[in-house]
Amino acid sequence: MNWLWTIVGFIVAVSLLVTVHEYGHYWVARRLGFKVLRFSVGFGPALWTRVAGCDRTEYVVAALPLGGYVKLLDEREGPVPPEDLERSFTRKHPWQRILVLLAGPAFNIAFAILVLWAVLWVSGEPQVKPVVGRIVADSLAARADLRTDDEFLRIEGRDVASPSDVVLGFMEGISGDGRVDIEVRRPGSGIRVLELRVEDADIRRALTEPQALLPGLGMRFWTPPVPAEIGKVEAGGPADVAGVRAGDLVTAIDGERIADFPALVEAISSRPNREVVVEFVRAGSASQLTVRTVADIIDDGREIGRIRVQTPPPPSWPESMVTQHAYGPLESLVLATVRVWDMTVLQAKFFARMLVGQVSLKNLSGPLSIAEFAGQSAQSGLTEFLGFLIVISLSLGFLNLLPIPILDGGQIIYQLAEWARGAPLSERVQALGQQVGIALLLMLMSVALFNDFARQLG
């Protein structure tokens, strides 16, 4: 049923966010006196149509819900009755056209603020303390003198309240000059100021790849210990064939004591294509089985062992590690606005660094990854799905502001040029810009789709 969540989540997200975007264009165009001919949710054959208002605007719900558009009266697309000329897009002042073009991205940003405001006001915000759980010896994190149980307080002079804040702080510093100023609270030692350095540009770029930062730094955050208990056993897998069952508590592998589930994973991973002796406790009785591991090849070409089992349900967090913040309506609105602004600025910064090679292009996600994230978040609950909508709405708004002629940002450049020179750009220049814009978009989409397929293939 995961595929159903993926399809439904993706359609709902895209339809809603594109409708918000197009409604921004529509709403401002109406307020500024442009004549709106059609407002369509979706593309293709119309499923529902209504003509309303003094302008006889056509409102459409179309068969393909992955998009939408607003059509304004425009002399470039055909004859315009003399009485409507002043309401044509081309007859309006450039500043009015610019406002209409800006309205789509602005409504996406406003939508993100509105949703985040509602979530913070209604549900508050649980925050897990960003505490170091493990440091790998001689890693980048170890050389920065980070230690187990250090609690992050500030990154680059900014307060951090959660692991995600720390990750974003690391990403910003590493993708810049490779230096990250860190302030931690160390048990028994008080406040410590540290510096993490990554001098090699290739290593810095590699660290910005998806899921590569923390393993590359050689650290992970503290989480409640997960017992080495077998969760779901994959039918027909090595563990199932050997007789391992869900609920078995593994105590040793080949005589090596196993303390928790990560230790179990590490022990099995280091033994590809081998017979291993698994000691476990089942219903209070100790026993053992021999399991033949299989080998999987990971990104760096290494073989790791697998027995095809899943983790047990995660344990609850101790109260000392979680703080629940409650916000009033005004406080949550201010906080939502600040966070959306910070996310937008960070998004622009990372995109610019991606263009100059400081951030990995693997961070570009295409429709397959977005659909997968939509399904996962929808399946996790309303709050997770709303968080996904916030991120995608901001991405949609930012993407449309890029100065690419086929997007809103590129059209704004055209209007600014016309405003400055007192006349429209020639049709030849505009056509060339459209061609360049399409080429650039195709390049971005090709990279994003390549990343999608690469992720699907592991």
Side-chain angles (χ1 to χ4, degrees), residues 125-162:
E125 184 179 34
Q127 289 182 333
V128 176
K129 291 182 180 179
V131 175
V132 177
R134 181 187 177 193
I135 297 292
V136 176
D138 199 34
S139 62
L140 291 168
R143 291 173 209 162
D145 195 31
L146 279 168
R147 302 181 187 178
T148 299
D149 294 331
D150 281 352
E151 180 184 352
F152 290 97
L153 301 178
R154 291 176 186 81
I155 301 288
E156 294 289 291
R158 291 195 294 271
D159 292 344
V160 292
S162 66

Side-chain angles (χ1 to χ4, degrees), residues 242-264:
V244 176
R245 297 292 176 259
D248 290 349
L249 181 63
V250 178
T251 56
I253 298 291
D254 287 341
E256 175 187 332
R257 183 178 175 276
I258 300 298
D260 53 23
F261 202 89
L264 172 61

Side-chain angles (χ1 to χ4, degrees), residues 213-237:
L213 180 65
L214 295 182
L217 293 177
M219 67 159 282
R220 69 182 183 205
F221 292 106
W222 186 91
T223 57
V226 178
E229 179 182 321
I230 303 299
K232 183 179 179 181
V233 179
E234 183 180 311

